[in-house]
Amino acid sequence: MKGQDKKILFPIGDSFQVIESSGEKKIECLKCGYVYGAADKDPKANSRMMERPVTFTSSLNGYGMADRFVIREFYCPQCGLLIAANTQLKEDPPFMEMSLSI
Ligand SMILES: [Zn+2]
């Protein structure tokens, strides 16, 4: 992110860092600087999602209830960094799991 007032506050894992810019705390991609949005919102909301069948990770999953589940992978829209992956019921909405209160 460009900006003279950008201050890096702290990293989160291998995918994100929290920054402060123009008085607002935001989450950005640790690899490329793409700004996902406000720090109190899950970065998945502004990522790119791809769905895969559960048999993608193991053919053994085909012996279970493979038709009921899906793997959802979330990527940085600018550099393609994988930021999360969840296995969920197909009918459930994408799982939002991160919200910082700083
Ligand atoms: Zn990125």
Side-chain angles (χ1 to χ4, degrees):
M1 173 182 201
K2 295 177 181 170
Q4 297 174 342
D5 64 342
K6 175 182 164 181
K7 179 181 173 190
I8 297 171
L9 300 181
F10 55 88
I12 302 174
D14 296 329
S15 302
F16 308 112
Q17 63 184 6
V18 178
I19 63 164
E20 185 166 351
S21 177
S22 301
E24 297 180 22
K25 294 178 177 73
K26 301 173 183 177
I27 296 176
E28 74 172 20
C29 177
L30 195 55
K31 183 177 175 188
C32 76
Y34 171 79
V35 178
Y36 286 97
D40 64 346
K41 305 291 183 196
D42 195 312
K44 285 185 194 173
N46 289 317
S47 67
R48 296 294 177 263
M49 183 180 73
M50 179 169 67
E51 291 188 347
R52 296 183 188 269
V54 292
T55 52
F56 176 77
T57 55
S58 172
S59 60
L60 294 175
N61 289 334
Y63 295 104
M65 296 181 287
D67 57 327
R68 295 191 57 212
F69 291 90
V70 66
I71 297 170
R72 294 189 175 123
E73 297 176 339
F74 298 86
Y75 297 91
C76 172
Q78 189 165 280
C79 74
L81 180 68
L82 177 66
I83 62 168
N86 302 123
T87 301
Q88 297 183 257
L89 289 169
K90 285 182 179 177
E91 66 266 22
D92 284 349
F95 181 55
M96 297 295 147
E97 58 190 317
M98 184 172 145
S99 177
L100 299 177
S101 54
I102 52 174

